[in-house]
């Protein structure tokens, strides 16, 4: 994702990693300045952080403005890629086939907005899986992990050793769990003094 900022000459060259804007859903933001970059600004997700590439001569005020612009563009782009309920069902079927030999067969899979303390839930007797809307916009491997977690409950209702053995097949289990723990921890952090010009 890139955009052209207005041209400004004579700005000092320096490298900087910027703190993220405040808010529970933001990830770390790294600003990388380049002397080879003349006009364009671009941004992309790299794991759990967002990298924004800017010209080295850009002022701090321009940097802040462009970081905000690029975060908004990435968020809009990602929201267009958000899975609907029909895509969730297809994804669940694919994940079940890939990791559980197709044995986990949900009757329904859908997004819900009434789960604020859990990422997902499953009612094995009905075969229904519900994912919290808070997962929308998170990396695909995180959504896949939560979906696999709930699919595993169709096969093993509790969280005993048999349940966790099923999830060992998914290679990004620990990374996804760490991501979700980080989101929860970030939601509990106090606002940094001065973050909003205080």
């Amino acid at each position: 994702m890139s955009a052209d900022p207005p041209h400004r000459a004579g700005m000092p060259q320096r490298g900087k990693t910027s703190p993220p804007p405040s808010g529970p859903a933001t990830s770390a933001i790294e600003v990388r300045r380049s002397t080879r970059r003349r006009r364009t600004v671009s941004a992309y997700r790299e794991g759990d952080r967002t990298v924004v590439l800017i010209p080295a001569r850009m002022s701090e005020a321009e940097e802040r403005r462009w970081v905000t612009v690029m975060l908004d563009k990435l968020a809009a782009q990602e929201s267009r890629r958000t899975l609907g309920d029909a895509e969730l069902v297809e994804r669940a079927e694919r994940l079940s086939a890939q990791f559980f030999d197709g044995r986990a067969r949900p009757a329904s899979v859908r997004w819900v907005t009434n789960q604020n303390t859990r990422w997902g839930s499953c009612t094995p007797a009905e075969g229904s899986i519900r994912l919290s809307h808070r997962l929308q916009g998170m990396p695909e491997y995180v959504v896949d992990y939560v979906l696999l977690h709930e699919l595993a409950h169709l096969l093993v209702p509790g969280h005993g050793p048999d349940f966790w053995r099923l999830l060992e097949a998914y290679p990004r289990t620990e990374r996804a769990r760490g991501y979700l723990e980080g989101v929860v921890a970030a939601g509990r952090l106090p606002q940094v003094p001065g973050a909003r010009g205080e």
Side-chain angles (χ1 to χ4, degrees):
M1 158 122 345
S2 63
D4 286 333
H7 179 73
R8 287 185 71 164
M11 299 308 292
Q13 298 175 7
R14 56 191 160 73
K16 182 179 180 187
T17 299
S18 298
S22 60
T26 56
S27 62
I29 298 166
E30 180 180 338
V31 174
R32 295 181 187 166
R33 290 177 173 266
S34 170
T35 56
R36 293 168 50 190
R37 189 172 283 270
R38 298 287 178 220
R39 295 182 46 104
T40 61
V41 174
S42 61
Y44 60 92
R45 304 283 191 212
E46 185 177 83
D48 298 342
R49 80 177 125 175
T50 302
V51 177
V52 180
L53 306 169
I54 64 172
R57 67 178 177 267
M58 191 173 278
S59 72
E60 286 189 38
E62 288 176 309
E63 174 186 316
R64 283 191 300 275
R65 185 176 74 79
W66 277 102
V67 165
T68 300
V69 166
M70 298 312 287
L71 287 175
D72 289 345
K73 285 187 177 194
L74 280 174
Q77 186 180 58
E78 289 166 350
S79 70
R80 288 191 297 271
R81 286 191 299 228
T82 299
L83 301 172
D85 290 349
E87 290 90 1
L88 273 182
V89 171
E90 291 172 15
R91 191 176 206 106
E93 290 170 357
R94 192 184 80 241
L95 289 169
S96 177
Q98 184 177 355
F99 294 101
F100 302 145
D101 298 321
R103 293 178 295 135
R105 295 187 183 118
S108 67
V109 183
R110 61 191 174 94
W111 295 108
V112 293
T113 58
N114 62 350
Q115 289 189 12
N116 295 314
T117 58
R118 343 171 136 186
W119 297 112
S121 62
C122 174
T123 307
E126 298 173 4
S128 63
I129 292 175
R130 294 158 304 281
L131 297 186
S132 172
H133 71 286
R134 296 178 302 141
L135 289 165
Q136 293 175 327
M138 288 189 187
E140 286 184 4
Y141 74 91
V142 175
V143 176
D144 284 352
Y145 165 73
V146 176
L147 197 46
L148 274 169
H149 183 107
E150 302 310 331
L151 285 166
H153 279 308
L154 293 175
L155 304 173
V156 180
H159 287 106
D162 291 341
F163 174 84
W164 294 112
R165 263 192 293 282
L166 281 174
L167 285 180
E168 285 175 2
Y170 184 57
R172 300 179 99 178
T173 292
E174 289 306 313
R175 185 173 180 197
R177 290 180 72 182
Y179 184 96
L180 292 171
E181 287 170 6
V183 169
V184 170
R188 288 190 219 132
L189 291 175
Q191 184 174 333
V192 179
R196 294 188 183 240
E198 294 170 357

